[in-house]
Amino acid sequence: MVAQRKLPSRESLSYRFRQYWPAYILLLPVVAWYIIFCYAPMGGLVIAFKKYSVLAGIGASPWIGLKNFEKLFTSQAFYQAIKNTLILSGLNFVFGFPLPIIFAILLNEMPGVKYKKVVQTVSYLPHFISWSVAGGLVYMLLSPSTGAIAAVVRAMGGTPQNYIGISRYFRPIVVVSDIWKSIGWSAIIYIAAITSVDEELYEAATIDGAGRFARIWHITLPGIRGIISIQLILTVSKILNVSFNQIFVLISDLTLDVGETIDYYVYRVGLGSTNNMSLATASGMFKSVIGLVLIVVTNYISHKLTDGEGIW
């Protein structure tokens, strides 16, 4: 009797590769990018446990254990950077997270298709402007001599100030400029999720007498709940990330006390006057560990609150 050859399982990697090998080939550049720029540099984290010298190199630099972390956690400047980061991230979360959702819902409720497309296009444009250009626009807008804000203040009988250089105005400027630049692009995923909601639900609700706000509350928001929870997890995991490019362009010595974030602290310590690569690496490593803990905790909470919806 001839033994039958065992067919490969549809769940096996070899079977899937033979079936979908063109897709795997297309995926190779992405995998290579992550390996080269995300995973390979992790070997440099050992610098955080050494007294790193550029001339000696990583291998020959002396091992000092946790001394860099001890120095980090006794630094008043580092604690101020953490405080500034949490405040700016908190403000961006409170105002910046719900606004793309609201914007997507309002855009979906617009009756005119052409007008809707124009608004979408205009809202996307700031995302494609680099912070070097966007920062220049902010400086021009807030200029005490030629800025539009200064003109309004003068028209109202006030005296214009250098708002970008005043500590109490710096954080609102950062939050507002970040929302202006990101709201349209961040709303794309919510717009796509709304279009996948079954139109028959809206028709049935309309027949039952539900108004526009009732349809939004009982159909639209539950329909995109999964996307909102995933975006919430990703946002919370990046609570210690404030756009370095934005801060680098807008900050000055006058606003360092309220604007220096962890990323800017890493830049200033690692590449500034102190040139302490080891301390900068330790602070960056601390931020990454906290981000990992936050994403795990938030994903767990999301599973409990949304009936198992989350990243994994």
Side-chain angles (χ1 to χ4, degrees):
M1 187 173 76
V2 179
Q4 294 183 349
R5 183 169 61 88
K6 186 178 180 180
L7 296 176
S9 171
R10 291 180 177 271
E11 299 298 325
S12 66
L13 181 60
S14 60
Y15 176 84
R16 286 180 294 179
F17 182 79
R18 287 196 297 270
Q19 288 294 112
Y20 308 108
W21 66 267
Y24 283 99
I25 296 298
L26 291 174
L27 190 63
L28 283 179
V30 178
V31 174
W33 185 90
Y34 271 97
I35 292 174
I36 295 172
F37 295 103
C38 296
Y39 287 96
M42 286 184 182
L45 292 177
V46 71
I47 295 175
F49 305 96
K50 291 191 170 191
K51 187 177 182 181
Y52 176 67
S53 170
V54 177
L55 298 178
I58 297 177
S61 298
W63 185 273
I64 59 173
L66 298 176
K67 289 186 178 180
N68 285 318
F69 291 94
E70 293 175 3
K71 184 177 180 180
L72 189 69
F73 295 135
T74 55
S75 170
Q76 184 63 34
F78 180 67
Y79 280 109
Q80 185 63 38
I82 294 177
K83 177 183 175 181
N84 294 337
T85 303
L86 290 175
I87 292 175
L88 287 172
S89 295
L91 291 173
N92 282 331
F93 177 79
V94 171
F95 297 103
F97 182 77
L99 283 179
I101 302 173
I102 297 172
F103 178 72
I105 293 174
L106 293 176
L107 203 60
N108 183 66
E109 294 297 321
M110 285 185 180
V113 177
K114 291 184 178 180
Y115 181 68
K116 184 187 300 185
K117 290 182 178 179
V118 172
V119 173
Q120 280 184 288
T121 303
V122 172
S123 66
Y124 297 163
L125 287 178
H127 173 77
F128 299 100
I129 302 174
S130 69
W131 269 114
S132 299
V133 177
L137 294 175
V138 173
Y139 273 100
M140 290 173 60
L141 181 67
L142 299 176
S143 172
S145 56
T146 60
I149 301 298
V152 174
V153 172
R154 287 195 195 93
M156 298 177 65
T159 303
Q161 303 180 56
N162 181 25
Y163 299 103
I164 196 69
I166 301 176
S167 295
R168 68 176 180 272
Y169 296 127
F170 183 77
R171 287 169 179 164
I173 291 171
V174 170
V175 174
V176 171
S177 60
D178 182 71
I179 291 174
W180 163 74
K181 195 172 184 300
S182 63
I183 185 171
W185 186 258
S186 300
I188 290 178
I189 190 170
Y190 300 113
I191 295 172
I194 291 173
T195 57
S196 66
V197 178
D198 192 352
E199 288 292 335
E200 293 183 358
L201 296 176
Y202 292 105
E203 295 173 2
T206 303
I207 293 173
D208 290 339
R212 176 169 293 180
F213 289 103
R215 295 196 298 270
I216 292 173
W217 183 259
H218 294 288
I219 299 176
T220 304
L221 286 176
I224 62 175
R225 183 181 61 176
I227 296 298
I228 294 175
S229 65
I230 292 174
Q231 291 297 108
L232 176 64
I233 294 171
L234 296 176
T235 302
V236 172
S237 69
K238 297 184 291 185
I239 197 69
L240 295 181
N241 285 340
V242 178
S243 175
F244 170 78
N245 295 331
Q246 180 188 19
I247 298 299
F248 182 78
V249 170
L250 298 180
I251 201 170
S252 65
D253 291 338
L254 298 174
T255 55
L256 198 65
D257 57 329
V258 297
E260 184 176 47
T261 60
I262 296 177
D263 288 336
Y264 191 82
Y265 174 83
V266 171
Y267 162 77
R268 186 172 62 83
V269 171
L271 298 176
S273 57
T274 58
N275 196 25
N276 193 333
M277 292 285 189
S278 298
L279 190 62
T281 305
S283 59
M285 188 176 181
F286 166 79
K287 190 188 81 167
S288 299
V289 171
I290 297 300
L292 176 63
V293 173
L294 287 173
I295 195 171
V296 172
V297 172
T298 310
N299 186 71
Y300 175 79
I301 295 174
S302 176
H303 272 283
K304 294 296 182 181
L305 296 180
T306 59
D307 299 326
E309 292 179 347
I311 292 180
W312 65 80

